[in-house]
Amino acid sequence: MGSPTRGRRKARRRGISRRDFLRGAGGSALALSAAALAACGAGGGGGDDGSGVNPFQHGIASGDPLPDAIIFWTRATPTAGESIPVNLQVYADPQLKQKIGSSKQTASAERDWTIKIDFNGLSPSTTYYYQFEARGFKSAVGRTRTAPEANAVVDRLRIAVVSCASLAHGLFNVYGALAKRADLDVVLHLGDYIYEYGSGEYGTAREYQPANEIASLSDYRTRHAQYKQDANLQELHRQNPFITVWDDHETANDSYRDGAENHQGDEDEPDWFLRKANGQKAYDEWMPIRLPTPGDTNRIFRELAYGRLVDLVMLDTRLYARSLQCELQAQLTCPDDTTRSLAGAEQLDWLESRLKTSTAKWKLIGQQVMFGQLKIAGTPELIAAGGVYLNMDQWDGYRADRNRVFDLIENNGISNAVVLTGDIHSSWAMDLSRDPNNLLVYRPGLGPIETAGSLAVEFVAPSVTSPGLDQLAPIQDVIRLLNPHMKYVDLSKHGYVLLDITDERCQGEWWYVDTIATDSLTEAFGTAWQAADGKNYLAAGAQSTPRADAPAFAG
């Protein structure tokens, strides 16, 4: 999300596009180097092939925890296109003395020498340590954690939520600050893990590899490889499992099922469906994700569970079934068109079945774009309709789908639903109501009076580096007042949301770094908002305390 109009393109206009909406302050003009390769791995002498080149140049990672299995990932960089046998060792202790098991896989050109092992036979709610070996070298040691078993009583979960990391806009200090937290159960990445632009097209803080806008499979692989060489991102992956979904920039800005704003079929771009497939294949290769249907890189919506406390459903509101975005001026009719969809009937049917059968206390919905309404005043006609929607790329532009989700929640008495969102490069906490500008539908609580008409809540994570709405920051309180369901808005800071979840409440905390222009892991608490069990609306919270029994970091 959020990118400039490129001179050689004639981009479609949807009124205020996401790109224009988010043209906040650009990244620092500092020339920032990529992470040193020395940070990518450790140990080992000269390689078996005599090259002496450590193959673990892109770090290690784990993801999609189950009670008895987890995905382990790395890449074994070749010296001359050769296939490379890779061994994985899994341990119960950080000293690597208590070996649990091992697995072998061969890295080859077919998957760009990436390794992804779905390691089974693990114990639930358990921290493990792991290491890869290839060509006589050992990788750095990683740490990961399995999910609780299905019926387990879970006292507390700590989940970090991140999104939107434009390498060209600054340093990934947010990732580095998060990596210092020892007590995270998992990191939830809601997309825009990479960006597709060429150097200088959107941000100038760091140069991209390749320098051109990426479109081919080789391009996408190279861009993922560059991101995986960032030291802060490597460390966060090394210490914590990830659960991920893509947004638009893993393919192209403002993408949908059949195209993208940043794809006009120029001579240097392939057919859209080939380009989309290239981005999806590279994503599957380079991310520690478990495809719900093996071999189908187009489908990533899936469910993960954390005992009786949390069911997490991950949606794809971007590439799987999304219809072309509405023009802003057609917002009175286009978004209500039931022939258009953001998620698609198949995925909405799946979401309905997951929420209706969930017995977990909290139902988390991880997805890409803002669910709650975002309006300002406008023409008399639009004021009569409740104001002007600002962004047709989010659920505001697909109101028929949003109404179906509201129907699902309300008609089935589903409580404790929490929508988790990225994409918009800014921080928001809000109640979710069918019509928050209508006092007959939504009545915010004042003092001891409880809020009425809120069916769920939403936490929107700020960006890692991507520019927000700095120019609108002076009026962010006005925006909040025009949208009474919004409890908190910050339009400029970079950071993450920390979810602290118990049986009694689901709390979102906003944490911010002090800079993305220079190396710094300094962070500060911003605010906290929480939904109490059964209330389905937000109230002010307080900074939580770290878990006292956090497992040891990987050394």
Side-chain angles (χ1 to χ4, degrees):
M1 167 173 199
S3 51
T5 301
R6 302 176 56 196
R8 68 180 180 86
R9 299 190 180 281
K10 295 181 179 179
R12 290 180 296 101
R13 287 290 181 180
R14 295 183 297 279
I16 302 175
S17 71
R18 287 193 321 145
R19 179 185 57 253
D20 297 326
F21 185 58
L22 289 172
R23 290 186 70 179
S28 166
L30 297 174
L32 302 171
S33 63
L37 296 184
C40 299
D48 292 340
D49 61 358
S51 68
V53 177
N54 190 330
F56 299 110
Q57 298 178 12
H58 300 93
I60 58 177
S62 64
D64 277 10
L66 300 177
D68 63 347
I70 201 158
I71 297 288
F72 291 98
W73 179 95
T74 193
R75 184 178 193 258
T77 302
T79 58
E82 75 279 11
S83 295
I84 304 172
V86 179
N87 298 324
L88 168 68
Q89 311 287 340
V90 181
Y91 300 87
D93 63 313
Q95 295 78 28
L96 310 187
K97 302 296 185 182
Q98 304 172 41
K99 185 175 176 180
I100 299 299
S102 62
S103 184
K104 297 181 180 180
Q105 197 175 104
T106 298
S108 66
E110 181 182 3
R111 291 186 57 86
D112 199 22
W113 290 275
T114 60
I115 289 290
K116 192 188 295 189
I117 297 173
D118 198 348
F119 196 94
N120 297 286
L122 301 175
S123 298
S125 300
T126 302
T127 298
Y128 290 96
Y129 300 83
Y130 63 99
Q131 189 173 50
F132 291 94
E133 185 276 332
R135 291 200 319 219
F137 288 91
K138 292 182 179 180
S139 74
V141 177
R143 182 186 71 156
T144 193
R145 186 168 179 82
T146 52
E149 59 186 348
N151 62 349
V153 175
V154 181
D155 294 333
R156 187 183 185 194
L157 284 174
R158 303 266 282 177
I159 301 173
V161 184
V162 293
S163 69
C164 304
S166 170
L167 184 141
H169 280 93
L171 296 174
F172 293 163
N173 294 335
V174 171
Y175 291 149
L178 258 180
K180 296 192 301 179
R181 289 189 176 273
D183 65 343
L184 297 178
D185 290 281
V186 72
V187 175
L188 189 64
H189 201 297
L190 296 178
D192 291 346
Y193 184 96
I194 65 167
Y195 276 68
E196 84 275 19
Y197 294 105
S199 294
E201 293 177 353
Y202 181 49
T204 57
R206 291 194 273 184
E207 296 292 313
Y208 275 124
Q209 299 170 10
N212 56 278
E213 178 186 316
I214 56 177
S216 69
L217 177 58
S218 176
D219 287 343
Y220 284 107
R221 285 168 164 175
T222 300
R223 187 63 56 84
H224 273 282
Q226 181 185 20
Y227 268 71
K228 282 293 200 302
Q229 288 180 334
D230 182 274
N232 285 323
L233 179 54
Q234 280 196 6
E235 184 63 8
L236 185 57
H237 271 299
R238 189 172 78 89
Q239 298 291 355
N240 298 282
F242 272 51
I243 297 172
T244 69
V245 287
W246 54 53
D247 195 10
D248 53 338
H249 290 291
E250 284 87 352
T251 47
N253 183 57
D254 277 11
S255 55
Y256 57 102
R257 180 190 57 205
D258 299 325
E261 179 277 331
N262 192 22
H263 183 89
Q264 280 71 46
D266 295 351
E267 67 280 357
D268 58 343
E269 292 179 340
D271 169 81
W272 166 250
F273 293 101
L274 176 57
R275 183 180 185 180
K276 180 169 76 167
N278 290 339
Q280 291 171 324
K281 178 173 172 56
Y283 188 90
D284 174 52
E285 292 171 344
W286 281 86
M287 301 295 287
I289 183 174
R290 179 186 292 105
L291 296 179
T293 304
D296 183 1
T297 58
N298 186 47
R299 178 181 169 179
I300 60 169
F301 59 91
R302 63 203 192 279
E303 179 183 27
L304 296 105
Y306 280 79
R308 297 181 184 177
L309 188 59
V310 163
D311 277 344
L312 172 62
V313 293
M314 302 294 287
L315 301 183
D316 179 359
T317 62
R318 182 57 66 184
L319 294 179
Y320 193 76
R322 177 196 279 255
S323 304
L324 174 67
Q325 295 90 336
C326 291
E327 297 287 343
L328 189 62
Q329 59 268 29
Q331 64 174 271
L332 290 181
T333 56
C334 178
D336 295 313
D337 182 353
T338 57
T339 66
R340 301 175 61 258
S341 185
L342 182 68
E346 176 191 354
Q347 189 173 185
L348 288 175
D349 287 345
W350 174 84
L351 174 63
E352 180 174 0
S353 68
R354 299 280 71 77
L355 293 184
K356 287 171 66 173
T357 59
S358 173
T359 58
K361 177 62 64 85
W362 299 98
K363 292 83 174 171
L364 306 186
I365 304 173
Q367 51 97 55
Q368 293 80 1
V369 293
M370 188 183 290
F371 191 92
Q373 299 88 339
L374 174 58
K375 290 184 176 182
I376 59 171
T379 65
E381 179 186 22
L382 290 171
I383 291 174
V388 178
Y389 290 101
L390 289 180
N391 186 2
M392 291 292 97
D393 188 66
Q394 59 193 51
W395 289 78
D396 281 342
Y398 301 84
R399 294 198 291 269
D401 271 17
R402 183 164 62 196
N403 287 337
R404 178 173 172 182
V405 176
F406 278 138
D407 289 343
L408 162 64
I409 292 173
E410 188 168 34
N411 295 341
N412 293 280
I414 294 171
S415 192
N416 295 343
V418 179
V419 177
L420 305 173
T421 299
D423 182 71
I424 200 169
H425 307 178
S426 43
S427 303
W428 312 71
M430 67 186 83
D431 294 339
L432 295 178
S433 171
R434 290 183 183 275
D435 190 355
N437 296 96
N438 185 344
L439 285 173
L440 297 178
V441 177
Y442 173 74
R443 295 183 298 282
L446 296 174
I449 302 173
E450 288 199 352
T451 292
S454 180
L455 299 177
V457 302
E458 182 172 16
F459 299 142
V460 181
S463 71
V464 174
T465 56
S466 303
L469 299 165
D470 297 55
Q471 72 276 25
L472 294 181
I475 63 167
Q476 62 192 24
D477 287 340
V478 176
I479 293 174
R480 184 177 56 80
L481 289 173
L482 291 171
N483 294 270
H485 58 303
M486 293 180 178
K487 307 306 175 185
Y488 173 68
V489 179
D490 183 274
L491 301 179
S492 60
K493 298 186 185 72
H494 302 285
Y496 59 90
V497 170
L498 175 65
L499 298 179
D500 191 85
I501 307 172
T502 66
D503 260 347
E504 291 74 31
R505 56 102 176 104
C506 179
Q507 174 164 291
E509 301 177 20
W510 280 259
W511 288 81
Y512 300 113
V513 297
D514 62 340
T515 182
I516 59 171
T518 58
D519 287 314
S520 174
L521 299 185
T522 301
E523 63 174 357
F525 171 75
T527 190
W529 289 87
Q530 62 178 247
D533 176 25
K535 297 300 185 180
N536 301 317
Y537 60 83
L538 291 176
Q543 180 179 336
S544 62
T545 57
R547 184 182 285 128
D549 58 347
F553 281 120

